[in-house]
Each structure stands twice: as structure tokens, then as C-alpha cells.
Amino acid sequence: MTDTSFMHIGLDDTDSTKGGCTTYLAAVLIEKLAQMPIHFIDYPALIRLNPNVPWKTRGNGALCLRLRHPPHLADDIKQLALNLWEQHSHLNNKGTNPGIVFYQHENIPKELTAFSRRAETSIVTLKEAIKLIRQVGAEALGYNTCRGIIGATAAIGETLNGDYTYELIAYRTVENWGTKRCVDKESIFNMDQLLQPKVFNNVDTEKNRVIITPRGPDPILFGIRGESADVVKQAFGLVKSLEPVERWVIFRSNQGTDVHLRRVNSIDKLERYSSVILQCVVSKNPRIVPVRHVIFSIKDAYGEMDCAAYEPTGDLRKIARELVVGDCIEVMGAVHRSTKDKHLTINLEKINILNLNQKVVQQNPFCPNCQKRLKSMGKHQGLRCERCGEKFVTLKKQEIALPRTLKPGLYLTSARSQRHLTKPLRRFGQEKQGESVVLIEGWHSP
């Protein structure tokens, strides 16, 4: 193609709690576009945005397709995308606010990239998105509250020039939507064992549970996440589906990259709905609240607040229980407002233990005469030996150092409770730094 134009198509919020899936809309659109004389310049992008947005549905993911095409096809491509977008949007369901954005330039301006970064880490408004769309000369359409325009714009701006991963999503035939998914469990565990560490978050070994199959009424059969397009395609060949696969697509994504975490220097700088990394000191020992959640307090020079490791976090909850006052740690997680006292709380995703304080307990000393441990006679009354009857007014309790089973290092929530953006331990050391992307043959089914 010597005379070509470029188009970036952003899609978001077409699904609802009753069904639908924006990735499925992207898959159908890819199939239709592939029948036209166009060229995809990248894998479709599956961009996860701020996981703390209170009005999100499921994983808060937005999509972007990037292509070049003959200039005379621009209107046809837009009309095709608009028709499918309207057809697959759950417009009559509460909470569905679809948006679609078209940007017709080759390079993404820095203003769009900056907007995407903010959408991944904080709250951005529709007013900001509309202003930016006008500024860069994009086009947008939305329904209901039009909130999907925010995600669609952010998906276009996230070019994944830093770290990224891939996900192959396989879709069910229409007649199976809403029924229990049928995939061979053993084949998934075998695939994960064979291809680790190049694939991640497929299974939860703690509960012996498959976590690549969603539970809702959406069209997704399963999704396999990995480090390359080749490896997720290989994994797809190893997983045995016990029901028909209608189609599949490989997406390039920011999943598993920790892009949502933003380092904050002090407690007083925390903002609600953000995901943060904060260095601090444990100020109150952990306590267990109903339903086995673990709460402990942290402090720095600017304030004090609670951290929560909820029961579904599994192993991280066990680690939190072992902390003591004085431990120096980094906490990573979502900033929320407690419904009970209206104070901010960090819901933990990770704990990085930097330095452990000495754990001590106070015990009564032994009797100097018969070596039996002394008993207290009451406040300010001194100590007494039950064996020989001797009393000791001046002896005090002794501090005894206890060994710590906890070790410095990074600890995560269990796989089943990790957010889409959370970087799992398997990915450490495999981060990418803007390597070039080459499309492999057959990255989407016909």
C-alpha cells in the first residue's frame, strides 16, 4: 500500500452484568475488517484501566484496534465499526455506557499517552476526555452517560511502549452463553506446568482451582495470559475444550505489569481510588476482624492509617498476621474509604518487607532460689515464688527476644485474587522495554 491512511479505533463499556463483552465485539470487528484490504499494524490492545473505579464492570478493560488502509475506505471502516458497536452494546441495561473513538493519524500524541496513564492510576472525567478528543482531532460517539468514551480514548493512548503481555481469548458459541463452561481441568494444569514461567495466572495451586475460565454470562470460554503471542498460541493448543470454540484472538495488553501502582512519598498524599506503593512502618500489631480479615496500622512522619488483607487474599493474609510494630515495609494496594469510620484504608495487593523489627515478649523472671518462674502479686505489689514462698519487690519483668519466621522479601495475594494489572511473581525478570512487535500468522481465527 503506497497511498495509505491510519486509524485507531477505541472501544469501551459495551457489556453489562447480564452479558456481553467488549473483547468479543473487537473479535467480531477484526473478522469483518480482515475481509477488507486493510493491514493491522499491531495486535488488538486490551488495556486494563484503574481497577478501583467504582462504576466499572468486571475487569475495567478497554480495546483498541490499529490499522492502515486505503484512504477511500475510511468512511466504510467507521460505519462498519459503528454498526457492530451498536449491535453488541447492551444499551438497555443499567450501567452500560458505551463509547467509541476514532483517531486518524499514524502517531499517538503525548497528550493522549498522558491521559491513558492517568486513566490507569486515578480517576479521569468525561469532560477531560471530550476536551482532549477535540484537541487532537479525534471523533467520538457514546450512549447513555457516554462514560465509555473515557476508556476508548485511554485505550488509543496506551501504546504499550514499556512492559506488556499477551492474552489469547477463546469464545463460546452463542448457544452455550450463560451455561457452565466445559474445559478439561487437567489439561490446563498440564499446560501451566509445561510452559511456566512464560504463562501466568492460569491456575491457583493453593486451592487447586482453574482461574482462566470466567463465571459470568459473557461469551468468553477462557483466556490464557503469557509473555509472547507464540507462547499463548502454543498454550491454546494444549488446553482441551469440551465444547466448541467459535473464535479466538490474541490481544497485546498491559495486564500483569503493575502499571496501576503509583509510588507515593507520604500518607498525606494518598488519594481515594488510587493504587499506591508506600514505604512505612507498622504502628499497631495485626488484628483479625470477622470473616478472618487481617487489619494492621502503618505510619510515617505525616500520618497513620490502616491496611487490610482480606480473606480472599489467601497467603498475603497469613503474611500480614506475622507483622509486628516497628517492621519497615512497602505496602501496595488500593486506597479506599472505610465505610465504618470514613478513614482511608489500603486494601493490600502486595507487601514488600524491607526490615524486620525484633519481636519481644515480657516474662516474669525465675526465682533466684529455686528457679521456678515467679508469679505477679498484683500491680506494683512485686513478684512471688509459689514453690518457696519468697517475695521479690524489686525484680521486674524481662524482655525475651523471639525468633521471626517471616523473611524480608515481596509477598503477593493468592493467584485467584490478583487483579488483572497485578504483576505476579512469575513475571519478575521477564519485563519488556519497548521491544518491537511482529504479528504472527493466524493470531485470530477466521
Side-chain angles (χ1 to χ4, degrees), residues 88-281:
H88 288 271
S89 294
H90 284 220
L91 297 175
N92 295 325
N93 288 303
K94 183 179 179 181
T96 300
N97 304 289
I100 184 169
V101 177
F102 300 99
Y103 181 68
Q104 292 180 257
H105 299 277
E106 179 178 3
N107 298 317
I108 302 300
K110 62 182 181 180
E111 294 88 352
L112 266 174
T113 301
F115 178 85
S116 298
R117 180 58 179 151
R118 289 195 296 116
E120 291 166 333
T121 59
S122 59
I123 301 292
V124 292
T125 66
L126 179 60
K127 183 178 179 180
E128 292 175 273
I130 296 298
K131 180 180 178 180
L132 179 60
I133 287 167
R134 289 171 177 163
Q135 179 183 335
V136 301
E139 300 172 277
L141 183 64
Y143 281 116
N144 298 331
T145 69
C146 301
R147 194 177 283 134
I149 290 176
I150 300 172
T153 306
I156 292 175
E158 176 54 271
T159 56
L160 299 171
N161 285 332
D163 193 16
Y164 58 87
T165 60
Y166 291 86
E167 181 171 4
L168 186 150
I169 299 181
Y171 299 94
R172 322 177 74 186
T173 54
V174 175
E175 57 268 21
N176 285 328
W177 293 5
T179 64
K180 183 178 179 180
R181 289 159 174 85
C182 298
V183 185
D184 181 67
K185 178 179 177 179
E186 183 179 359
S187 72
I188 298 172
F189 272 86
N190 290 340
M191 174 275 293
D192 185 75
Q193 180 67 30
L194 179 65
L195 297 181
Q196 66 172 319
K198 295 298 182 181
V199 294
F200 60 92
N201 285 3
N202 299 302
V203 298
D204 177 17
T205 54
E206 182 186 343
K207 295 289 186 179
N208 192 34
R209 182 188 301 172
V210 167
I211 55 176
I212 67 172
T213 52
R215 299 180 183 178
D218 56 90
I220 295 177
L221 179 57
F222 58 81
I224 304 170
R225 301 184 187 103
E227 296 297 329
S228 71
D230 284 312
V231 78
V232 294
K233 189 175 180 183
Q234 181 183 358
F236 176 60
L238 295 173
V239 172
K240 298 177 182 177
S241 175
L242 304 179
E243 63 176 88
V245 174
E246 180 191 84
R247 66 185 74 227
W248 57 269
V249 177
I250 297 175
F251 296 90
R252 197 157 74 97
S253 181
N254 61 351
Q255 295 176 146
T257 64
D258 274 350
V259 72
H260 63 309
L261 294 174
R262 179 171 57 89
R263 185 170 292 279
V264 177
N265 293 328
S266 58
I267 285 177
D268 63 326
K269 297 293 193 298
L270 296 180
E271 297 177 358
R272 191 181 182 190
Y273 301 131
S274 62
S275 293
V276 300
I277 304 172
L278 175 70
Q279 185 171 330
C280 53
V281 174

Side-chain angles (χ1 to χ4, degrees), residues 339-365:
T339 55
K340 181 179 179 180
D341 54 22
K342 305 301 181 183
H343 294 146
L344 294 181
T345 299
I346 295 179
N347 295 350
L348 292 168
E349 295 179 31
K350 302 181 182 183
I351 300 174
N352 186 18
I353 298 176
L354 304 176
N355 186 49
L356 292 168
N357 194 26
Q358 182 64 62
K359 186 175 184 179
V360 297
V361 296
Q362 289 191 333
Q363 291 183 337
N364 292 335

Side-chain angles (χ1 to χ4, degrees), residues 412-436:
L412 278 68
T413 61
S414 296
R416 65 184 178 278
S417 61
Q418 287 177 14
R419 292 175 146 178
H420 293 286
L421 286 170
T422 300
K423 186 195 299 184
L425 289 176
R426 267 189 198 179
R427 290 217 64 240
F428 282 81
Q430 300 193 82
E431 297 87 346
K432 306 170 189 67
Q433 296 299 326
E435 293 97 331
S436 59

Side-chain angles (χ1 to χ4, degrees), residues 385-405:
C385 179
E386 291 184 335
R387 178 178 293 172
C388 67
E390 187 81 17
K391 297 180 180 179
F392 303 89
V393 179
T394 59
L395 288 181
K396 304 295 183 183
K397 288 182 179 289
Q398 300 174 333
E399 286 192 344
I400 308 297
L402 298 179
R404 300 290 302 272
T405 57

